[in-house]
Amino acid sequence: MISLLGVLLLRWRPQLSQRLLVVGFLLSYGFSIPFTASLLSRPLQPYMPPTAHVLKSQQPGAIVVLGGGLYTYASEYGDGPTVHDRTLGRVRYAARLARLTGLPVLATGGRPKADEGPSEAELMKGILEGEFGIPHVLTETTSRDTWQNAVNSAALLRERHINTILLVTNAAHLPRAVAAFQAQGLVVIPAPTLFFDDQPHPFDFQSWLPSVTAIAEIHYAGYEWLGQWWYAWCYRSSD
């Protein structure tokens, strides 16, 4: 937008136009390189995968895995949608934890649009049971965002007298997700997966080359930062 504004003003305000074009170029470059992506991702990934000692000492009662989106047009899987690769990564790690611990799994995620096709949780359940061999997966199928994931999942867990959970989602998504689930009175053991490379490498030439991967990571990190600020504002408003 800044560069476009510079182009539009080129005829009438040439000096301002040139400045806007330079600023637009620098911002576009800065927000497309791995170095920036690492700087943005690093504070979002404070949690490490749970150790055997943590699992034994805190004794979680269930594994909760959050949906991360769908592929709506997946013709290779039939007429309906399938899970996004981000969701699949979360599901795979939840299955690993379920095999290690023997804990029940709760998949949470609603439909992208009301009453259209299966929910994320139903598709996740199908993959967990049919492809990973995890039996009796519970589902929460009405939530549309992370906060609703927490509220609706907490209600199901309370019915089963479960207060401590392993929470599985992307590493960069966990700070916001943990805060949402803790706000429902649950004890949360973070179980991150799908880590971004959060170590800036200033002396690596590749860190300064624009890439689609870096742009995608910056987009995801920016979304999480905005989400955290929004949740913080909501908490203050409710207080």
Side-chain angles (χ1 to χ4, degrees):
M1 287 297 296
I2 294 176
S3 297
L4 178 60
L5 182 60
V7 171
L8 294 175
L9 292 175
L10 185 59
R11 181 176 179 181
W12 296 276
R13 300 286 299 275
Q15 288 187 343
L16 176 60
S17 172
Q18 291 172 9
R19 292 170 183 165
L20 290 173
L21 287 170
V22 170
V23 171
F25 170 78
L26 291 175
L27 287 175
S28 298
Y29 170 74
F31 285 96
S32 66
I33 57 175
F35 185 78
T36 305
S38 297
L39 292 178
L40 288 173
S41 297
R42 189 171 191 176
L44 291 171
Q45 302 184 131
Y47 301 114
M48 296 301 294
T51 63
H53 173 72
V54 168
L55 295 176
K56 183 177 180 180
S57 61
Q58 298 199 30
Q59 297 183 338
I63 299 165
V64 178
V65 54
L66 306 185
L70 301 177
Y71 279 135
T72 305
Y73 303 105
S75 58
E76 70 274 28
Y77 287 96
D79 296 332
T82 188
V83 297
H84 191 280
D85 53 2
R86 180 170 54 240
T87 306
L88 183 60
R90 300 175 185 182
V91 165
R92 183 185 181 192
Y93 186 47
R96 172 179 170 80
L97 288 173
R99 286 191 292 268
L100 288 173
T101 63
L103 293 172
V105 177
L106 169 61
T108 170
R111 294 171 176 82
K113 298 179 182 178
D115 300 324
E116 291 188 9
S119 66
E120 285 185 90
E122 290 167 332
L123 291 170
M124 294 159 70
K125 173 184 174 72
I127 293 171
L128 282 162
E129 293 182 348
E131 300 182 26
F132 290 103
I134 305 301
H136 311 303
V137 174
L138 305 171
T139 57
E140 182 286 300
T141 62
T142 60
S143 58
R144 302 290 294 275
D145 56 34
T146 302
W147 185 263
Q148 291 181 13
N149 287 149
V151 172
N152 299 338
S153 296
L156 292 175
L157 293 165
R158 280 193 291 268
E159 292 176 0
R160 292 161 175 81
H161 308 288
I162 296 173
N163 185 57
T164 303
I165 62 167
L166 281 165
L167 185 60
V168 178
T169 187
N170 288 57
H173 180 219
L174 258 177
R176 186 160 60 96
V178 167
F181 276 79
Q182 287 178 337
Q184 314 312 315
L186 294 171
V187 178
V188 179
I189 304 172
T193 188
L194 302 175
F195 286 83
F196 290 127
D197 179 7
D198 63 358
Q199 299 298 322
H201 304 288
F203 301 109
D204 182 356
F205 179 69
Q206 297 290 330
S207 294
W208 302 95
L209 293 180
S211 73
V212 174
T213 301
I215 293 172
E217 181 177 338
I218 289 168
H219 176 269
Y220 190 93
Y223 181 87
E224 285 305 321
W225 280 115
L226 288 173
Q228 286 196 29
W229 294 333
W230 173 250
Y231 278 19
W233 184 84
C234 288
Y235 292 151
R236 284 199 298 270
S237 298
S238 62
D239 291 342

